[in-house]
Amino acid sequence: MRCVCLALLALCFAATAFAADDMPRSLDPKIRIDLFAEQPLIATPTGLDVDSHGRVWAIECNTHFRPENYPGHPSDRILVFSTDETGKAKPPTVFADGFTATMSVAVRPVWMKPIRLKGVDQGDAAALAKTTQVYVATRNQVLLLEDTNADDVSDRRTVLFELDTKGNYPHNGFAGFAFDAVGYMFVGMGENLGEPYKVRDRSGAVVYEHDEGGHVYRFRPDGTEFRFWANGCWNPHASCFDAFGRMFSVDNDPDSRPPCRLLHIIEGGDYGYHFKNGRKGLHPFTSWNGELPGTLPMVAGTGEAPSGVIAYEHDALPENYRGHLFATSWGDHRIDVFRLKPKGLSFESVAEPVIVGGESFRPVGLALAPDGSMYCTDWVLREYKLHGKGRIWRISAVDGERRRPDFSAIQKEERPGILKQSLESPVGAVRRLAARRLGELNGLQNVAVLRDADASERAKYEALAAIVVGEKADEPRQLRDLFGPKPAPFDSTFTLMAHFDNAPSVQRMQALLKDPAGADPMYVLGGVKAFIPLLRSAAGTAPKKIVELINSAVDGMDAFGLCALARDCATEMPADKLVQLVSSDASLSSRVRLVALLALKRIDPANESAIEAGLKRHDLIVRRAAVQWAGEQRMKSLRPVVEKCLTQSPMDRDLFLSTIAALEMIDGKDPKDFDKTPAGKYVAPLLKDEKASPAVLVEALRLVDPDDEVLSIELLDQLIRHADPSVRREAIRTLAFRTGADALSPLMAMAAMQSGYPQNALLGVIRHFVANPRNQEIKDFLLSSTTAPEMAVTAFRGGLGHDDVVVARLDELFKTAGTFVPGFQGPPDVDALGQQWWLIFGAGRAFPMNNFRQPPERPVAIDWRGAGQRNLTEIELRGDFVFFNPKGPGCSNCHTVHGRGGKVGPDLSRIGATFTREKLIGSILEPSKEVSPQFTNWQMVHVDGRVFTGMIVHENEGKTILGDSEGKTIELKTAEIEERRPVQTSVMPEKLVDRMTVQEWRDLLAFLQSLK
């Protein structure tokens, strides 16, 4: 016995020493993090919650990849921790055990009435009020546990829902509870490894079924009214609601499509990931940031493996955290805050690390305590297998006192005035409890709060939510005058009024879509159904004015608006009317037809006639969505119609890829193999097909690797001689990106011509020169160019290839002066020549032109913003040359246009359709001002102390690949990354304009604007 005690003592000592060596720290000096509990009190914890008394409820997971002969407890347990006088955990009580693959726990919130289960003897109201009720999510079950005699041990457990599936991976089933303000609960479900499943309720009845997971569901706390809410997630592991009723989830894991995501969850939302299209997320039918029609973008990229999220509604931490979200990152061993900023009809944010730790800080669950502190579980080690270690940490204010609200006093309060004061509390649970108590006393008191001009939006939201759940007839009648005709802004209380059928008019929605004016995004999203009558009319012989109105409204919606409208069309419009919208000859916009097609897909995924109607449209986004639908449904009968899309115009890269992918699916190929197959395999037959349309040939050329063996010089030569100019140009462009020596001679021959896209060929010659600057043949060619000398000499920028002969020849060329003036007429542009000279030689060599005034030395104070606004050239080819020139600003090092370029930054093939000239200028001059969450710049700390910075281009199979500002990549072993931190600056370098002349700047802007 003594040996056992000594061994236990040694284990405790080792654990404590280990924690001290690897202590996580706060980056905010006003916040601290303290150890609350660790092994042997708890091992390998997952989810947790904190009840109204401040007790911590944590899951000890003992079944997650359990090693053979593991000495720990045989099943998962729910442990309850109280706090001693030093702030540390007392030995826990085992509330319940016997579970497997347990992920989440949630104690019934203090403001929620006790849950009465139909058919279960739970005693009278007094007995039920004293019952502790706790929700638990295991991989396959959602349970309600009850302690009826206040001994902190569960006496009764009820399985509310159970998964009927072959899927058995421990953490891709049920997880992540959230409670809204109007009587519903939510839970997420992981991708289930793509296995079909059924959700059964207490009676065994199937309440939902699908062929894959990645969903969010809503239900009543008693287990009734279960329904689908959103899909397209990988693993929505945790969710929360903010103070204004907006739902957010953290979605892990992106496999090969980093980063993990913070999502704004709306009813009917599709977030783009579907396991059946391949686990890696690289398939053309997979969207990770709203890239596909009908899918929704993320709010922000998170750290690796986010597992917990809360909305912070308290004043214990500094004021600047109130109302924002905190999320854990198991893989990056840190806790971040996300400050939400409105963006369209949703939000955007950037991860800001608050708590960071070493390799052995692995935060999982996160919960807000009544006193405003936060608790998080810590898995400790990177290993998925059980290892016996575990911790719980407490995060609190450095100078704050432990103040827990007296919820019991609020529940007994009889004075409305005191309750109204509590409605202005910074503590979210206090506000909600006060509003519910106020409603119990006299619901009209909550109406009075809504009438109070001095009441905060938070207070009004809780007052109205209490009315919604109160189910009293008098109160809604009192609200009509409050929410009638009224000027903007329309806050979250207007959103709640939808429960009383109070919806915005078409006129109000038109105005809000043009300018939200501070309106709650959820109000606008809920109001899009105002356009349903117009859509019904447009499906028939609607007047031109109606068509123009609906076109204007839908074209003004972002992805969230389109999704909400498609959702409402699916419930409010019959399928035949929607098919008419898709196929109508009326002047409906592509986006209107897309909404109708997406609604039809929701109504009946097997609707063949609807798919065929979409395939027959010439609208690119409509046809693309229809092609995807046909492929995912494996519609063999529609294969000829899908294949015909390859011969029709218009055509773009996305439709081309989607059509090929759909044909592969229809033919029974496994989607996960699509990204493994070289594009040449798909496009070679098309490139050799004399009957292929020019549009198809162009996209095939853009898709294939220029060095692919299927693309011989002979085949390229045939395409360069094609009758269609777009095919000729794309073939030359493809040849320009070919690295083999066999490309150089034909490129120089074409670059010397006065017609036939010599600039594209010249670009290829320069690329070869950059790869081999000692090649004398290329030097001589570039220095003697007469077709585009001002372009040819850019090859020598930065001293590349300089020797005495080159320098002398460049001196001679610049002395000639007029050679460099476009059009070869008029006096030379001395400033432009000076900019070119400076880019070639820098400040170390005197400018040779002495027959005209000397240009100012670079760098000069050029007004790049003003220069970009004036006199944009219409010569698109010159901008194309600037973009792809390896001796220019380097755009193509990171960005792709029409299949060519780097993969570090976003694809710019359609940038002109979404960016105005002003926005283009701003994004280049100030690249860090607005960064999409998918392109967050990261700083990686290696275990050996080295620091790498860049954007995560790929992360899978133990590898993390970063891309830097020059488009170069570096591969790291993921296991050797000790810490990763988001960087506020963009990976796109500052002062790109210093790498080009003013004229090139204008040419580049013209080119980018042309990309639509």
Side-chain angles (χ1 to χ4, degrees):
M1 180 69 180
R2 182 172 177 272
C3 293
V4 173
C5 293
L6 287 173
L8 183 59
L9 182 63
L11 176 62
C12 294
F13 178 79
T16 304
F18 182 71
D21 290 341
D22 198 44
M23 184 80 167
R25 66 190 188 280
S26 170
L27 299 182
D28 185 337
K30 297 180 180 179
I31 293 178
R32 60 185 292 168
I33 178 167
D34 299 290
L35 185 63
F36 176 70
E38 64 178 333
Q39 69 279 350
L41 295 184
I42 190 167
T44 48
T46 52
L48 86 165
D49 196 12
V50 184
D51 67 18
S52 61
H53 303 289
R55 296 181 301 173
V56 176
W57 298 64
I59 298 167
E60 180 180 80
C61 187
N62 295 303
T63 59
H64 191 277
F65 296 116
R66 186 182 178 96
E68 189 176 352
N69 299 321
Y70 180 69
H73 193 76
S75 66
D76 298 347
R77 306 188 290 182
I78 309 299
L79 305 180
V80 185
F81 293 88
S82 296
T83 306
D84 66 19
E85 61 278 1
T86 68
K88 299 292 185 181
K90 296 178 181 179
T93 298
V94 178
F95 181 75
D97 70 3
F99 306 104
T100 300
T102 315
M103 293 292 110
S104 304
V105 60
V107 182
R108 175 174 55 83
V110 67
W111 44 263
M112 182 184 287
K113 290 182 178 180
I115 307 305
R116 186 168 287 283
L117 300 175
K118 187 176 181 180
V120 177
D121 182 7
Q122 295 172 290
D124 58 18
L128 186 59
K130 296 177 182 178
T131 299
T132 300
Q133 296 179 309
V134 180
Y135 292 91
V136 171
T138 70
R139 191 245 180 268
N140 280 335
Q141 293 181 328
V142 173
L143 305 99
L144 177 63
L145 310 184
E146 296 178 285
D147 170 18
T148 61
N149 58 7
D151 64 352
D152 289 339
V153 176
S154 173
D155 309 305
R156 178 170 52 232
R157 64 179 65 182
T158 304
V159 178
L160 298 180
F161 305 109
E162 185 154 15
L163 282 180
D164 181 354
T165 180
K166 293 180 181 178
N168 61 2
Y169 195 78
H171 62 256
N172 67 355
F174 286 135
F177 292 123
F179 300 86
D180 72 7
V182 290
Y184 290 99
M185 280 184 71
F186 295 75
V187 71
M189 180 186 169
E191 28 72 25
N192 201 40
L193 292 180
E195 291 287 346
Y197 69 92
K198 296 177 181 178
V199 179
R200 299 184 183 276
D201 66 9
R202 283 199 294 138
S203 70
V206 176
V207 291
Y208 188 77
E209 59 183 309
H210 206 274
D211 60 358
E212 64 174 354
H215 295 164
V216 176
Y217 312 104
R218 188 186 79 170
F219 56 96
R220 291 290 186 183
D222 64 355
T224 60
E225 300 181 30
F226 186 95
R227 59 171 295 189
F228 160 84
W229 196 252
N231 71 347
C233 304
W234 177 293
N235 190 357
H237 203 74
S239 300
C240 69
F241 280 85
D242 72 2
F244 309 106
R246 282 88 65 127
M247 184 178 180
F248 299 92
S249 293
V250 286
D251 190 26
N252 82 64
D253 178 331
D255 209 73
S256 296
R257 287 288 294 273
C260 294
R261 306 183 290 181
L262 173 64
L263 301 176
H264 172 203
I265 301 294
I266 66 169
E267 181 184 1
D270 180 352
Y271 296 87
Y273 179 82
H274 298 278
F275 192 93
K276 63 186 177 184
N277 293 334
R279 178 186 178 94
K280 286 187 176 181
L282 301 177
H283 194 273
F285 296 164
T286 297
S287 172
W288 198 243
N289 194 30
E291 297 90 350
L292 291 177
T295 64
L296 300 177
M298 66 182 87
V299 173
T302 71
E304 177 67 15
S307 304
V309 63
I310 64 168
Y312 191 79
E313 284 295 321
H314 211 288
D315 62 347
L317 295 185
E319 174 65 23
N320 62 331
Y321 292 109
R322 185 185 177 200
H324 299 298
L325 309 181
F326 283 88
T328 61
S329 169
W330 181 93
D332 289 338
H333 27 86
R334 67 171 199 263
I335 299 174
D336 299 322
V337 65
F338 293 87
R339 305 182 193 281
L340 301 173
K341 297 178 182 177
K343 182 180 182 181
L345 299 180
S346 184
F347 303 89
E348 64 179 351
S349 188
V350 175
E352 299 177 26
V354 177
I355 305 295
V356 297
E359 181 69 19
S360 296
F361 177 55
R362 299 282 172 175
V364 185
L366 188 65
L368 176 62
D371 65 2
S373 61
M374 296 184 292
Y375 287 83
C376 77
T377 50
D378 180 358
W379 187 264
V380 179
L381 299 185
R382 188 185 188 92
E383 301 169 19
Y384 271 10
K385 290 183 178 180
L386 300 180
H387 45 69
K389 298 185 183 298
R391 301 170 180 151
I392 300 174
W393 298 91
R394 181 175 183 266
I395 302 159
S396 59
V398 170
D399 300 326
E401 297 179 14
R402 295 173 64 92
R403 292 181 293 106
R404 189 169 68 241
D406 189 346
F407 294 114
S408 177
I410 298 172
Q411 290 170 324
K412 299 173 183 176
E413 183 59 62
E414 300 284 343
R415 295 165 294 177
I418 299 299
L419 292 170
K420 288 179 182 178
Q421 289 178 21
S422 296
L423 270 171
E424 296 294 348
S425 168
V427 182
V430 169
R431 293 196 302 272
R432 187 158 298 173
L433 183 60
R436 303 300 159 95
R437 177 59 178 160
L438 201 56
E440 291 172 359
L441 294 176
N442 182 348
L444 294 180
Q445 293 288 346
N446 275 321
V447 176
V449 173
L450 291 164
R451 293 183 184 279
D452 185 353
D454 295 326
S456 67
E457 183 182 351
R458 281 177 165 85
K460 290 182 177 181
Y461 183 87
E462 294 300 343
L464 185 52
I467 293 172
V468 171
V469 299
E471 301 177 350
K472 295 180 180 178
D474 289 342
E475 295 149 19
R477 286 199 293 266
Q478 300 287 329
L479 300 174
R480 290 172 185 166
D481 63 315
L482 284 174
F483 294 93
K486 187 177 179 181
F490 304 101
D491 62 21
S492 57
T493 59
F494 281 81
T495 307
L496 277 179
M497 280 300 294
H499 290 274
F500 303 114
D501 297 322
N502 185 295
S505 64
V506 169
Q507 291 76 16
R508 180 179 288 182
M509 284 300 301
Q510 283 180 285
L512 288 173
L513 288 172
K514 291 178 181 177
D515 179 12
D520 176 30
M522 300 303 291
Y523 175 69
V524 183
L525 291 175
V528 296
K529 66 174 59 177
F531 297 109
I532 298 291
L534 297 179
L535 286 166
R536 287 199 193 100
S537 177
T541 54
K544 182 179 179 181
K545 194 172 254 186
I546 294 292
V547 173
E548 290 175 349
L549 194 157
I550 195 64
N551 282 347
S552 174
V554 177
D555 288 348
M557 295 179 187
D558 65 7
F560 279 82
L562 292 178
C563 178
L565 185 58
R567 171 197 70 203
D568 292 340
C569 284
T571 58
E572 302 289 334
M573 289 185 67
D576 61 333
K577 287 288 185 182
L578 291 167
V579 172
Q580 288 176 30
L581 278 176
V582 175
S583 56
S584 170
D585 292 329
S587 301
L588 293 169
S589 76
S590 299
R591 289 160 70 88
V592 172
R593 298 182 197 278
L594 174 66
V595 165
L597 191 71
L598 294 173
L600 284 162
K601 188 177 182 180
R602 290 168 184 261
I603 295 171
D604 180 10
N607 189 333
E608 189 171 317
S609 62
I611 300 174
E612 190 167 9
L615 291 172
K616 290 180 178 179
R617 295 303 312 173
H618 290 284
D619 316 71
L620 278 169
I621 59 171
V622 176
R623 194 187 298 171
R624 180 187 180 189
V627 161
Q628 178 174 342
W629 186 358
E632 289 179 336
Q633 291 297 314
R634 274 67 170 177
M635 289 281 187
K636 292 184 180 296
S637 60
L638 291 179
R639 193 190 192 286
V641 189
V642 173
E643 189 172 25
K644 190 177 179 181
C645 291
L646 290 175
T647 66
Q648 297 174 322
S649 294
M651 172 64 69
D652 67 2
R653 179 181 174 84
D654 291 333
L655 177 56
F656 186 81
L657 270 173
S658 296
T659 304
I660 293 174
L663 291 171
E664 289 270 298
M665 282 183 162
I666 292 172
D667 292 341
K669 304 287 180 62
D670 192 332
K672 73 173 182 291
D673 295 329
F674 189 83
D675 65 280
K676 299 177 184 177
T677 308
K681 173 183 177 295
Y682 299 116
V683 305
L686 296 171
L687 290 171
K688 296 174 183 178
D689 183 358
E690 294 181 357
K691 297 181 180 179
S693 69
V696 167
L697 290 174
V698 167
E699 293 306 327
L701 283 166
R702 289 172 175 176
L703 185 63
V704 71
D705 184 338
D707 290 311
D708 194 307
E709 60 183 16
V710 306
L711 202 60
S712 65
I713 287 292
E714 292 73 24
L715 178 57
L716 277 172
D717 184 61
Q718 291 177 25
L719 294 168
I720 288 169
R721 300 172 189 276
H722 196 277
D724 188 274
S726 65
V727 177
R728 294 199 300 271
R729 179 183 172 189
E730 200 57 46
I732 295 171
R733 191 164 168 253
T734 302
L735 183 65
F737 279 84
R738 193 179 180 94
T739 60
D742 58 354
L744 183 58
S745 292
L747 284 171
M748 288 197 292
M750 285 183 284
M753 296 178 181
Q754 296 295 327
S755 61
Y757 312 108
Q759 294 94 336
N760 291 110
L762 178 60
L763 181 65
V765 176
I766 293 176
R767 293 178 67 86
H768 278 268
F769 179 59
V770 171
N772 185 12
R774 294 184 178 182
N775 187 310
Q776 194 61 45
E777 181 186 11
I778 303 178
K779 283 185 186 181
D780 293 341
F781 176 84
L782 293 170
L783 290 168
S784 60
S785 172
T786 58
T787 304
E790 75 284 4
M791 293 181 174
V793 296
T794 63
F796 300 98
R797 286 178 176 175
L800 184 70
H802 286 202
D803 55 31
D804 291 344
V805 174
V806 170
V807 171
R809 180 61 180 141
L810 289 169
D811 271 347
E812 182 183 342
L813 287 172
F814 271 83
K815 286 176 183 177
T816 307
T819 304
F820 291 91
V821 178
F824 307 102
Q825 295 178 358
D829 184 339
V830 180
D831 286 342
L833 288 167
Q835 293 162 15
Q836 188 76 270
W837 179 267
W838 188 88
L839 290 168
I840 294 172
F841 290 105
R845 187 172 182 81
F847 189 63
M849 281 185 60
N850 49 26
N851 53 331
F852 294 97
R853 65 179 177 83
Q854 285 288 100
E857 291 186 4
R858 284 283 292 264
V860 295
I862 296 174
D863 177 11
W864 292 103
R865 192 176 295 276
Q869 295 283 5
R870 296 191 302 272
N871 303 322
L872 279 189
T873 177
E874 296 300 323
I875 307 176
E876 179 194 327
L877 287 175
R878 299 178 71 92
D880 184 321
F881 181 87
V882 176
F883 185 92
F884 289 106
N885 188 352
K887 298 303 292 180
C891 305
S892 63
N893 290 339
C894 297
H895 298 285
T896 294
V897 165
H898 299 322
R900 302 286 178 245
K903 308 296 184 184
V904 172
D907 189 321
L908 302 183
S909 299
R910 292 197 189 92
I911 189 71
T914 55
F915 274 45
T916 63
R917 185 194 307 179
E918 292 76 12
K919 193 169 182 179
L920 279 171
I921 292 170
S923 66
I924 297 172
L925 295 181
E926 300 178 88
S928 298
K929 187 173 182 179
E930 184 177 343
V931 181
S932 173
Q934 196 170 3
F935 301 103
T936 298
N937 202 14
W938 293 89
Q939 198 173 74
M940 306 288 186
V941 181
H942 196 267
V943 290
D944 63 11
R946 290 179 295 162
V947 177
F948 301 91
T949 301
M951 197 196 83
I952 301 174
V953 178
H954 177 89
E955 192 160 36
N956 194 25
E957 298 173 345
K959 298 183 298 185
T960 297
I961 299 176
L962 294 181
D964 66 13
S965 60
E966 298 299 322
K968 298 176 182 177
T969 58
I970 183 168
E971 182 178 309
L972 304 173
K973 291 183 178 179
T974 306
E976 293 179 355
I977 298 172
E978 188 171 75
E979 183 179 343
R980 52 175 100 189
R981 301 183 289 260
V983 180
Q984 299 300 317
T985 55
S986 169
V987 71
M988 183 171 165
E990 303 281 348
K991 299 183 179 180
L992 272 181
V993 286
D994 286 349
R995 304 183 188 183
M996 55 186 139
T997 68
V998 170
Q999 185 58 53
E1000 287 172 342
W1001 167 233
R1002 292 172 180 156
D1003 293 341
L1004 176 63
L1005 290 171
F1007 171 64
L1008 294 174
Q1009 279 198 274
S1010 74
L1011 299 173
K1012 298 179 180 178

